[in-house]
């Protein structure tokens, strides 16, 4: 039965909503915390907006990640899930499966994607950060999305995966097509995903014959009681680490920098802390930026496998459920002064990276890249400022991610740096 809209409800999924969705989410939390709506794709889904309900839903085993529990046609046509993943046979990854398969794959991937591996990667992330800033520091202006926030995680994850330097620009092009979603050439997302899969399969063959110390080699070596990732699983896992990892970090850096520029007193406190070499405010600040205007607006798709109730609302079998992380993380029932950016906030169990068994496996890498990006921007470009009226900035459309299309800034030009602008050739060949 089609959704009957509440005439008092705010209009969702417009350009105005994308610019500032938080007033609409506040209305939903108060009046319709579990809200059935028609998405721009035509799919009807439930939006969960209160913190307690969101936390429950994220950990509820009756909500499956497998799109097979919804309409096969909707997934085949890209109306649910990641665009192009089905046609490219890249379905078998952590965002699309449930236990026991999820348990097995996550355990295998965790053997390769360890906290130690991420920590050892910190010098390379800092090198990339410095050299990207070198590309525009002497100019006095930049678009921080296209010149900094976008290429940093692309080059970083390519290097971590073991993509050779000469191939990294291809990955940057494919990632650009995916992040534009509906804004590019028709069918471009699907073609980009298929090309990426073909490349990853070929790279896996090469790594199997000549393994290195990179993450793809680690995925190939990972085993659990004699079980290994098969070729399709390894390709799908490499794909989702790239897809989920790079766009999350693009938005963490972009949204985080924008929030600091819009909150000058908080930015000043962080800047002074960074100059003193202190880390406490940076640690709490990254978590607060994830809460305040995080990179992931809604958790990825879930589908009811059994009848269940969320917030007193009955959810029928097969219905899609979207947990609105952005709404939950500004719930006044959980967060004091929910609309205030407070970098020193310590009571901050935000849901920016999810909750439960599907908690983001790449969260440590995103935090590392966010820390490097923000501290280096604040220390090297201390008078960084917006070069455009905030009302003129555009946000990318789409359900899951929240991020700016561009972030034009100005600053006092920096004296010549000892680094050269970064290129993929700077990345060591594995």
């Amino acid at each position: 039965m089609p959704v009957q809209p509440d005439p008092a409800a705010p209009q969702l999924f417009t350009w105005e909503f994308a610019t500032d969705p938080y007033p609409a989410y506040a209305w939903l939390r108060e009046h319709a915390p579990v809200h059935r709506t028609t998405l721009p794709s035509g799919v009807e889904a439930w939006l969960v907006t209160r913190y307690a309900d969101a936390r429950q839903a994220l950990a509820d085993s009756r909500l499956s990640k497998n799109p097979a529990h919804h309409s096969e046609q909707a997934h085949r046509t890209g109306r649910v899930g990641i665009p192009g993943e089905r046609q490219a046979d890249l379905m078998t990854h952590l965002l699309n499966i449930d236990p026991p398969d999820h348990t097995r794959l996550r355990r295998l991937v965790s053997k390769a994607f360890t906290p130690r591996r991420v920590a050892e990667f910190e010098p390379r992330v800092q090198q990339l950060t410095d050299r990207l800033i070198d590309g525009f520091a002497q100019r006095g202006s930049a678009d921080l999305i296209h010149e900094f926030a976008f290429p940093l995680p692309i080059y970083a994850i390519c290097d971590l995966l073991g993509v050779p330097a000469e191939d990294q620009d291809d990955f940057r092009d494919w990632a650009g097509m995916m992040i534009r979603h509906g804004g590019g050439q028709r069918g471009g997302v699907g073609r980009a995903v298929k090309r990426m899969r073909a490349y990853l399969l070929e790279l896996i063959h090469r790594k199997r014959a000549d393994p290195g110390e990179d993450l793809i080699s680690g995925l190939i070596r990972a085993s659990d009681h004699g079980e290994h990732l098969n070729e399709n699983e390894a390709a799908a896992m490499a794909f989702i680490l790239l897809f989920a990892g790079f766009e999350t970090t693009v938005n963490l850096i972009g949204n985080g920098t924008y929030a600091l520029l819009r909150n000058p007193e908080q930015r000043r406190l962080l800047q002074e802390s960074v100059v003193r070499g202190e880390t406490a405010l940076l640690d709490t600040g990254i978590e607060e930026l994830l809460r305040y205007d995080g990179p992931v607006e809604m958790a990825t798709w879930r589908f009811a496998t059994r009848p269940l109730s969320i917030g007193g609302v009955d959810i029928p079998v097969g219905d899609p459920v979207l947990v609105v992380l952005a709404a939950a993380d500004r719930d006044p029932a959980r967060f004091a002064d929910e609309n205030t950016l407070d970098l020193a906030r310590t009571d901050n169990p935000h849901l920016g990276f999810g909750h439960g068994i599907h908690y983001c496996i790449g969260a440590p890498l995103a935090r590392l890249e966010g820390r490097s990006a923000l501290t280096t921007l604040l220390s090297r470009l201390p008078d960084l400022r917006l070069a455009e009226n905030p009302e003129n900035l555009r946000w990318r459309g789409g359900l899951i991610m929240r991020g700016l299309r561009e972030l034009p800034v100005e600053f006092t030009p920096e004296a010549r740096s000892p680094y050269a602008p970064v290129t993929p050739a700077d990345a060591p060949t594995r």
Side-chain angles (χ1 to χ4, degrees), residues 77-362:
T77 56
R79 295 166 68 198
V80 301
I82 296 173
E85 64 178 354
R86 183 186 180 98
Q87 292 88 334
D89 194 20
L90 285 170
M91 290 286 295
T92 313
H93 57 69
L94 292 177
L95 294 185
N96 277 346
I97 55 175
D98 306 312
D101 289 335
H102 177 273
T103 307
R104 178 182 71 88
L105 283 186
R106 184 160 184 128
R107 190 161 53 225
L108 286 170
V109 173
S110 296
K111 288 176 178 288
F113 197 44
T114 62
R116 178 182 175 182
R117 185 187 294 271
V118 172
E120 290 174 345
F121 198 56
E122 184 171 3
R124 175 57 178 160
V125 171
Q126 186 60 54
Q127 181 189 45
L128 286 169
T129 301
D130 275 315
R131 293 193 173 181
L132 283 167
I133 292 176
D134 288 340
F136 54 78
Q138 297 171 61
R139 196 171 69 227
S141 65
D143 176 355
L144 283 187
I145 300 299
H146 293 282
E147 296 182 73
F148 184 60
F150 177 72
L152 174 59
I154 286 292
Y155 289 138
I157 196 66
C158 281
D159 198 37
L160 192 63
L161 286 170
V163 176
E166 62 269 20
D167 297 337
Q168 291 187 12
D169 273 340
D170 288 336
F171 264 75
R172 181 171 177 168
D173 291 343
W174 297 330
M177 294 179 75
M178 289 192 297
I179 204 172
R180 284 193 295 270
H181 301 303
Q185 184 180 358
R186 183 176 177 82
V189 174
R191 285 194 296 274
V193 172
K194 286 182 179 180
R195 289 169 185 164
M196 190 175 290
R197 178 183 184 273
Y199 177 86
L200 288 170
L201 287 173
E202 193 272 333
L203 184 60
I204 288 167
H205 281 305
R206 280 190 273 156
K207 297 290 184 182
R208 199 180 297 277
D210 184 22
E213 296 303 315
D214 52 83
L215 185 52
I216 287 183
S217 297
L219 290 173
I220 293 168
R221 284 192 296 264
S223 64
D224 185 50
H225 304 297
E227 290 187 285
H228 295 264
L229 291 168
N230 64 40
E231 194 169 81
N232 279 339
E233 289 172 339
M237 285 309 309
F239 165 74
I240 201 59
L241 286 171
L242 176 75
F243 179 85
F246 93 85
E247 191 168 3
T248 299
T249 307
V250 172
N251 296 343
L252 171 57
I253 296 170
N255 297 5
T257 303
Y258 180 63
L260 291 174
L261 295 177
R262 298 294 306 278
N263 291 268
E265 179 60 19
Q266 291 293 299
R267 177 257 190 88
R268 182 187 65 80
L269 292 172
L270 182 58
Q271 204 155 6
E272 291 174 352
S273 174
V274 166
V275 169
R276 291 193 299 268
E278 298 170 353
T279 61
L281 190 61
L282 178 62
D283 291 340
T284 57
I286 290 289
E287 303 310 309
E288 175 68 348
L289 293 170
L290 286 163
R291 181 202 72 84
Y292 178 77
D293 198 8
V296 184
E297 188 162 348
M298 300 187 188
T300 49
W301 297 81
R302 285 166 167 77
F303 308 93
T305 59
R306 302 197 299 276
L308 74 153
S309 176
I310 302 176
V313 175
D314 293 331
I315 309 296
V317 171
D319 274 15
V321 173
L322 289 168
V323 178
V324 188
L325 306 180
D329 279 344
R330 291 212 189 181
D331 188 342
R334 182 59 190 85
F335 299 99
D337 298 319
E338 72 281 4
N339 293 317
T340 299
L341 180 70
D342 178 6
L343 299 181
R345 189 187 299 266
T346 54
D347 181 18
N348 192 2
H350 66 79
L351 302 176
F353 286 127
H355 171 67
I357 64 170
H358 290 283
Y359 183 85
C360 177
I361 198 169

